[in-house]
Amino acid sequence: MPSTAQDTATDRGRTRVVFFSTQPYDRRFFTRINDERFVDDGFDLVFSRDRLTVESTALAAGADAVCVFVNDDVSAPVIEALRAAGVRTVLLRCAGFNNVDLDAARAAGIAVARVPAYSPEAVAEHAVTMLLTLNRKTHRAYNRVREGNFALDGLLGFTLHGKVAGVVGTGRIGVCAARILHGFGMQVLGSDPYRNPEFEKVGTYVEPDELFERSDVITLHSPLTADTYHLIGKQALDKMKDGVFLVNTSRGALVDTKQAIKALKSGKLGGLAIDVYEQEEALFFHDRSHSFIPDDVFARLSTFPNVLITGHQAFFTGEALDQISDVTLSNLRALVRGEDCPHLV
Ligand code: NAI
């Protein structure tokens, strides 16, 4: 008869971690960092491509910890099933924890740790990459030139220098974005319930409404919470300048996608760049090119020439993956040793 997960771990004297929603690069980075820096800790890493759901919790049988990513389901029923499987720790290999029912985890005695920051510059750089691409249409120019079409009609952009950039959420990533935009010669406005002195070196705080009214470009860097859900909906969009560019590399549900589509049709939104999407868990991180897009809202969105979509890749640099692997396994080490883990949520 199989022993319980705790017995199994104790018997082996090793700590077993089952990873969900993994891609080949997760395996590559985590295995290398584990071999290089955690060899004496006795971590056994098991990689599954499955998304964590109630059904897939069976894969966690015999594990001490599970390691999850942004679109894994860590709701109360999943936590209950993990608890029954003997899991004592949930390691988030990301910053956001909106997909975790923290009350349920606390009640189940399951520790939840995250990676609060991993190359915030990488995310900010991607947000600005998207803005530049969408504005100067380099993605379209690339295809044209490859086909021998050197016409410029349809590629007209605007000069960022002298324009107003609104940064919603001036935490780690927002500050990096603000610095870059300030470097372009933009006037930077910020909105955040908490003031960050680092932001004030390059930008000015205003109320959200003023930011919406004055900005030519708005970039979102606040977490998804009950307060920020559909922060960019009809009301906010109505206040914005006609032709405003909106960039979202934070979490999809900050933007009410159906309202954004209406604003694209009316010309209120001049450009929309998103690395995250409300219903992304059904689409992102997998090759679906041989199939069709079952999500009609997403399909409509992708027909606009002034919409640029990437599949949650803002974090995706070697430096960031290195840090994610190192901090995730350091969190596990601290919890296994009963030491203080600074990244508990
Ligand atoms: P952070 O915690 O350093 O900063 C978030 C800021 O948002 C804080 O200053 C907070 O006070 C502020 N905020 C909270 N509610 C707000 C509101 N209603 N209006 C304006 N500001 C508000 O977080 P960090 O590291 O800057 O990350 C921001 C978000 O970026 C994460 O929550 C995550 O969702 C997303 N992210 C996306 C990645 C990607 O690959 N696309 C990678 C990493 C993070």
Side-chain angles (χ1 to χ4, degrees):
M1 215 178 103
S3 54
T4 67
Q6 273 184 322
D7 291 344
T8 311
T10 312
D11 292 349
R12 286 194 315 268
R14 297 182 65 84
T15 304
R16 184 179 168 88
V17 190
V18 175
F19 286 65
F20 286 87
S21 299
T22 62
Q23 299 291 335
Y25 48 82
D26 293 308
R27 176 187 292 259
R28 221 168 38 242
F29 275 78
F30 270 97
T31 303
R32 181 172 58 74
I33 297 292
N34 189 38
D35 290 348
E36 281 176 13
R37 303 180 201 167
F38 297 88
V39 75
D40 296 330
D41 290 280
F43 297 154
D44 290 334
L45 311 186
V46 180
F47 297 94
S48 164
R49 290 184 74 95
D50 289 66
R51 184 172 161 251
L52 178 61
T53 59
V54 173
E55 292 74 34
S56 65
T57 51
L59 295 168
D64 305 277
V66 293
C67 182
V68 300
F69 196 47
V70 291
N71 292 324
D72 285 304
D73 174 3
V74 200
S75 57
V78 172
I79 285 169
E80 204 177 302
L82 289 175
R83 174 81 175 79
V87 171
R88 295 291 174 269
T89 303
V90 171
L91 300 165
L92 289 155
R93 53 181 191 279
C94 55
F97 48 88
N98 50 285
N99 52 337
V100 184
D101 187 326
L102 290 177
D103 291 337
R106 260 188 285 277
I110 289 184
V112 181
R114 66 175 180 141
V115 185
Y118 41 94
S119 190
E121 295 85 2
V123 182
E125 285 170 15
H126 189 76
V128 178
T129 301
M130 295 191 90
L131 168 63
L132 294 177
T133 305
L134 192 59
N135 176 23
R136 303 306 296 271
K137 303 169 181 63
T138 44
H139 55 315
R140 307 188 78 192
Y142 172 81
N143 286 325
R144 279 193 192 185
V145 169
R146 282 174 72 90
E147 291 189 1
N149 176 359
F150 302 96
L152 299 184
D153 197 29
L155 301 182
L156 192 68
F158 63 91
T159 305
L160 291 173
H161 184 96
K163 297 290 188 311
V164 179
V167 178
V168 177
T170 58
R172 280 171 285 246
I173 297 169
V175 161
C176 295
R179 284 191 195 119
I180 300 171
L181 297 169
H182 179 254
F184 285 159
M186 299 188 82
Q187 183 190 350
V188 183
L189 304 179
S191 79
D192 195 306
Y194 301 97
R195 283 179 176 241
N196 180 346
E198 284 303 308
F199 174 79
E200 288 180 305
K201 291 180 186 167
V202 291
T204 312
Y205 279 112
V206 293
E207 290 301 315
D209 282 357
E210 187 178 344
L211 183 147
F212 296 147
E213 283 159 17
R214 288 178 54 196
S215 300
D216 300 292
V217 167
I218 295 174
T219 182
L220 306 180
H221 300 291
S222 53
L224 176 61
T225 63
D227 287 343
T228 61
Y229 176 78
H230 284 188
L231 181 71
I232 308 299
K234 184 173 179 339
Q235 265 193 327
L237 286 160
D238 282 349
K239 292 192 179 101
M240 292 179 195
K241 283 186 179 179
D242 289 340
V244 63
F245 269 47
L246 177 66
V247 182
N248 185 11
T249 57
S250 193
R251 283 292 181 268
L254 292 182
V255 177
D256 180 339
T257 315
K258 287 186 181 156
Q259 291 301 328
I261 288 173
K262 281 190 187 162
L264 283 160
K265 284 184 180 169
S266 72
K268 169 62 77 177
L269 276 181
L272 174 68
I274 54 171
D275 182 53
V276 286
Y277 170 63
E278 278 191 87
Q279 312 295 340
E280 69 177 44
E281 59 277 3
L283 294 172
F284 285 8
F285 302 115
H286 297 284
D287 180 2
R288 302 187 193 281
S289 55
H290 53 283
S291 181
F292 66 97
I293 302 286
D295 180 331
D296 290 349
V297 175
F298 185 89
R300 180 69 183 97
L301 205 53
S302 59
T303 62
F304 291 94
N306 53 345
V307 171
L308 180 68
I309 307 173
T310 52
H312 209 134
Q313 71 170 81
F315 71 99
F316 199 54
T317 66
E319 290 79 355
L321 289 186
D322 225 88
Q323 258 181 303
I324 289 170
S325 311
D326 189 47
V327 174
T328 303
L329 295 181
S330 299
N331 288 342
L332 180 62
R333 173 190 277 165
L335 289 166
V336 166
R337 291 183 180 174
E339 294 168 358
D340 257 3
C341 174
H343 304 136
L344 286 177
V345 287

